[in-house]
Amino acid sequence: MYAGPPEDDAADRARAFRLRSRWRLAAPVEAVWAVLTDVPAWPQWWPNLCAVEPLAAGAADGTGAVYRYLWRARLPYRLQFTLQVTRVEPPQRLEGRACGQLDGRGVWTLADHGGVTGVEYRWAVDLRHPLLGRLAPLLGPVYAWNHHQVMAAGARGLAQRLGVRLLGCEGEAL
């Protein structure tokens, strides 16, 4: 099967991002879960999230819910995408499929460590924004840095929302 010229493969790889963020919060896992699953309220505590628009309610546990997100980056650009919740396992796992200017999968995993909650977010996406996608071969590391800045702001906002201490926050490209 013909896969296209090698430049296409390299460009596709440059638009693919596999990122992981880890947070530690001095809060019970149930409290963290309650805030993370209240997606329409995220813009109240996550400074880079301009808007969340619920498009479909889904099942009682949230599976099948669809949201449209508009994110403002630390860099001067915005990203819009739709995410459908595909898996809900309270209070440990929340998964979704993104499509739009980003296509891929996001997974929240929570773990209780005796009153401290470990939060991990894995984001495996392909950048489909026309301009940003073309610039990805040059600016990929900058985009990853930007993602980590947005996630760190989310960690701080979540801790503030819960009225607890943020004990740790780190991010990495996988």
Side-chain angles (χ1 to χ4, degrees):
M1 179 167 109
Y2 180 69
E7 307 82 59
D8 290 348
D9 292 339
D12 285 344
R13 282 192 306 275
R15 288 189 301 263
F17 291 88
R18 308 300 177 257
L19 306 160
R20 177 172 54 195
S21 300
R22 292 180 178 160
W23 307 341
R24 289 181 49 241
L25 297 142
V29 71
E30 293 82 5
V32 176
W33 178 262
V35 174
L36 285 179
T37 55
D38 185 9
V39 176
W42 284 15
Q44 297 171 16
W45 56 268
W46 203 319
N48 301 94
L49 185 51
C50 301
V52 173
E53 180 185 356
L55 301 178
D61 70 352
T63 304
V66 180
Y67 302 96
R68 181 179 298 126
Y69 297 82
L70 177 60
W71 290 90
R72 174 184 61 246
R74 290 276 312 261
L75 300 172
Y77 64 83
R78 291 177 181 226
L79 286 173
Q80 183 172 327
F81 57 90
T82 301
L83 187 134
Q84 181 175 26
V85 177
T86 57
R87 186 172 171 186
V88 179
E89 296 177 10
Q92 300 161 331
R93 191 174 186 94
L94 184 63
E95 296 183 19
R97 296 284 306 158
C99 64
Q101 292 178 330
L102 293 173
D103 287 346
R105 179 173 177 243
V107 180
W108 290 100
T109 307
L110 283 67
D112 181 7
H113 301 286
V116 171
T117 298
V119 177
E120 180 179 274
Y121 186 68
R122 287 184 178 248
W123 193 224
V125 293
D126 294 329
L127 184 57
R128 298 295 178 206
H129 185 284
L131 177 60
L132 298 178
R134 282 195 301 278
L135 296 174
L138 294 173
L139 297 178
V142 176
Y143 294 165
W145 170 87
N146 186 70
H147 171 80
H148 298 313
Q149 297 300 307
V150 168
M151 292 302 290
R156 291 187 300 272
L158 178 58
Q160 184 175 8
R161 176 71 167 211
L162 291 166
V164 301
R165 289 186 313 138
L166 177 62
L167 303 173
C169 178
E170 59 187 45
E172 64 183 324
L174 300 174

